Amino acid sequence: MLGALKEGMRIQRNLLLSVALAAACGDDSVVVTDSDGQSTSTGSTTGVGTTTDDVTPTETGVPTTGMTGTTTTGTTDPTTGQVSATESTTDETTSTTSTTSTTSTGETTDTTTSTASTTSTGETTDTTTSTTSTTGTTDETTTTGTTDTTTTGTTTGTTSTDTGESTTTDTDTGGPVEEGFGYAGMSGNNSLVIFDPQAQQVVGAPVSLLPEASYPYDAMIKPDGAEVWVVGAVGDGVKVLDTASGQLTQQISLTGVGEYAVDVSFNADGSRAYVSARDSGALVLIDTATYSVIEAIAVPPGMEGGKTALDPCTGVVHLVDWYESNLIRFDPITEAMTSKPLGDSLWDLRVDPSGSTLYVTDRGLDVVHVLDVATLEVQASVSVGNDPWGIDITSDGALVVVACEDDSTVHFIDTGALTTTSLALPAGADPRDVDISGDDARAYVPTGDIPGNDGVYEIDLATKTLTGMIDFGISANTNVVAVTPQAVACEP
């Protein structure tokens, strides 16, 4: 019975992909506005996003390219932070492809008043890859402060505006989406690319993020998987994409309360979003049911809001002082902010699933600080690559993955032994983010702006090798990625 059900789901998934990719290869297009570093917002959560200029749709069916990576293994001394490293052999993989021709005709009606009719014929190239599963003194300052859709195409959206604090639906293009798809923000054309990590292919055309999420700085899938939230540093706001339809359904302007938005996370039940805003020096609390701002809580005086991480066991939000040496802690019950000095130039952070350990990247010292969550005392500082940006942790807390921008490397920290392994990405890679798949088998890292087309790298976490790159078919600087809903389960 279970085998038949799985086979049926596999056939349905393949049919969905074939139809979506066939439509994307037709004459459909997405319109965006080239970024000039400016954006216009209304200052409310009700607004209309307008886009102009044509952008060539992302080519679908691009097979993955086999990559060669150099793996280095070392041991870090928890006291000195020094690591002794040895190189191991490189690994190269080549994908295989098959071709499927699909013709589809259909009509779909969206959740507002827009409709779309699509007739498409196309050829898709399906790529098969092989993956393997794995896995001081504290000074404190306190201030209070499966979709059923079977077609894809260009959809002309009719804006629907509420009189309250809810938002609108933008005119946009996107393919049907199902659980397990990935989302990557591209700052070069201010768009969101939807891709299938298993088929290693792009789904539909890029979705415009203008104006609120101009220069996408973070993307996060809600804990229930229903939505993707993207924050824009230049756009001073948020765009919300419905994962079932692949369409942008909400936009939230944070002008005046959450300017230069750089990060978003959610509480355990997904009812509240936390958006960290650098220029406003605040953590903005948003009701995810009404998409309205609840309030903006100021970070401690003289500090700026940076990246955030939720403690899955207590609901506490940890955040860093942007490019500075302060760790900030927000208590959602008392709404108090506390801070303590740490390191040199903090950037990103994650709490392990047990809620006992906090990992913080330090771009100034090129280390990951390991802290006891209860006391915020540093237990060790583990040396990694040059300029560590993004960080993620497996669901069992056994492995931390760190993307290091300046030397184009990815580092893996065994959290039990605090030993490290490094992987060299292809020359020119500019990794700034990382997200681990739900089964802990793979990690996905944005390419940045590399020669030729941009996309995301796929890394096998069992072998710690590069298995390939999902080619987006355009050059537009991939800088953020999300493939797994935010982890909120406490697993002590």
Side-chain angles (χ1 to χ4, degrees):
M1 180 68 177
L2 180 59
L5 179 58
K6 289 184 176 179
E7 178 64 15
M9 293 175 65
R10 184 188 67 79
I11 293 172
Q12 182 182 20
R13 175 188 181 88
N14 289 342
L15 177 59
L16 176 62
L17 281 172
S18 296
V19 175
L21 290 168
C25 290
D27 295 330
D28 301 331
S29 62
V30 60
V31 289
V32 301
T33 300
D34 294 333
S35 173
D36 58 0
Q38 300 294 322
S39 69
T40 304
S41 303
T42 62
S44 67
T45 59
T46 301
V48 178
T50 304
T51 60
T52 60
D53 299 340
D54 289 338
V55 167
T56 303
T58 301
E59 180 184 355
T60 58
V62 181
T64 54
T65 304
M67 295 293 176
T68 301
T70 303
T71 304
T72 307
T73 304
T75 303
T76 300
D77 188 316
T79 303
T80 65
Q82 298 300 310
V83 60
S84 57
T86 58
E87 289 189 356
S88 63
T89 58
T90 61
D91 180 74
E92 185 174 286
T93 62
T94 305
S95 64
T96 60
T97 63
S98 62
T99 303
T100 304
S101 295
T102 305
T103 303
S104 65
T105 302
E107 180 171 314
T108 118
T109 303
D110 67 17
T111 55
T112 57
T113 60
S114 61
T115 62
S117 180
T118 303
T119 302
S120 60
T121 302
E123 183 175 83
T124 69
T125 302
D126 198 12
T127 303
T128 303
T129 61
S130 176
T131 58
T132 307
S133 297
T134 66
T135 59
T137 299
T138 302
D139 297 321
E140 293 196 352
T141 305
T142 304
T143 61
T144 302
T146 119
T147 179
D148 292 326
T149 358
T150 57
T151 62
T152 182
T154 302
T155 301
T156 302
T158 301
T159 300
S160 172
T161 306
D162 288 336
T163 57
E165 297 188 16
S166 58
T167 62
T168 67
T169 301
D170 259 342
T171 299
D172 60 274
T173 301
V177 185
E178 62 180 34
E179 183 179 358
F181 278 21
Y183 309 86
M186 307 190 79
S187 60
N189 64 358
N190 297 302
S191 71
L192 186 70
V193 173
I194 305 170
F195 64 95
D196 186 334
Q198 296 183 17
Q200 303 237 322
Q201 293 176 348
V202 171
V203 178
V207 180
S208 174
L209 294 173
L210 295 173
E212 286 82 7
S214 174
Y215 200 94
Y217 223 91
D218 188 36
M220 183 68 76
I221 304 174
K222 280 185 64 179
D224 62 5
E227 295 176 339
V228 182
W229 285 46
V230 185
V231 295
V234 174
D236 298 332
V238 183
K239 286 282 193 179
V240 180
L241 181 136
D242 175 73
T243 59
S245 67
Q247 301 293 314
L248 292 173
T249 56
Q250 305 290 336
Q251 55 194 29
I252 307 168
S253 173
L254 299 179
T255 301
V257 293
E259 297 184 349
Y260 210 89
V262 298
D263 202 73
V264 58
S265 57
F266 301 92
N267 64 351
D269 64 7
S271 63
R272 178 174 294 188
Y274 303 105
V275 176
S276 182
R278 185 195 72 178
D279 288 359
S280 294
L283 187 67
V284 183
L285 281 56
I286 300 174
D287 186 317
T288 61
T290 63
Y291 305 97
S292 58
V293 174
I294 300 171
E295 60 182 324
I297 309 295
V299 298
M303 300 183 190
E304 298 175 317
K307 292 289 189 175
T308 69
L310 177 80
D311 183 328
C313 297
T314 64
V316 166
V317 178
H318 299 272
L319 61 158
V320 299
D321 182 7
W322 176 273
Y323 268 116
E324 294 294 340
S325 56
N326 295 296
L327 181 64
I328 306 169
R329 189 176 192 171
F330 171 70
D331 186 327
I333 305 301
T334 64
E335 295 192 346
M337 290 271 189
T338 58
S339 66
K340 65 159 289 181
L342 175 67
D344 180 66
S345 182
L346 308 182
W347 190 252
D348 205 354
L349 62 173
R350 285 292 182 273
V351 180
D352 80 329
S354 71
S356 62
T357 307
L358 174 64
Y359 300 89
V360 186
T361 62
D362 189 327
R363 296 176 60 186
L365 301 179
D366 294 336
V367 301
V368 172
H369 299 294
V370 183
L371 289 79
D372 179 273
V373 168
T375 64
L376 293 184
E377 294 292 336
V378 176
Q379 305 301 303
S381 292
V382 182
S383 295
V384 289
N386 190 359
D387 199 17
W389 277 62
I391 185 171
D392 202 7
I393 188 168
T394 54
S395 61
D396 61 1
L399 188 70
V400 168
V401 183
V402 184
C404 301
E405 182 189 27
D406 284 359
D407 62 1
S408 303
T409 62
V410 174
H411 288 250
F412 311 91
I413 303 174
D414 180 316
T415 60
L418 292 183
T419 54
T420 61
T421 303
S422 67
L423 170 67
L425 298 177
D430 193 24
R432 293 185 170 188
D433 195 15
V434 59
D435 204 26
I436 297 174
S437 61
D439 59 3
D440 291 338
R442 299 166 303 279
Y444 295 88
V445 176
T447 61
D449 190 8
I450 61 175
N453 294 337
D454 300 325
V456 292
Y457 295 118
E458 182 187 75
I459 298 170
D460 186 315
L461 292 183
T463 61
K464 299 178 179 60
T465 56
L466 187 63
T467 58
M469 185 190 101
I470 302 175
D471 190 334
F472 289 171
I474 51 177
S475 178
N477 191 17
T478 313
N479 62 334
V480 297
V481 64
V483 297
T484 306
Q486 179 187 320
V488 293
C490 176
E491 300 179 4

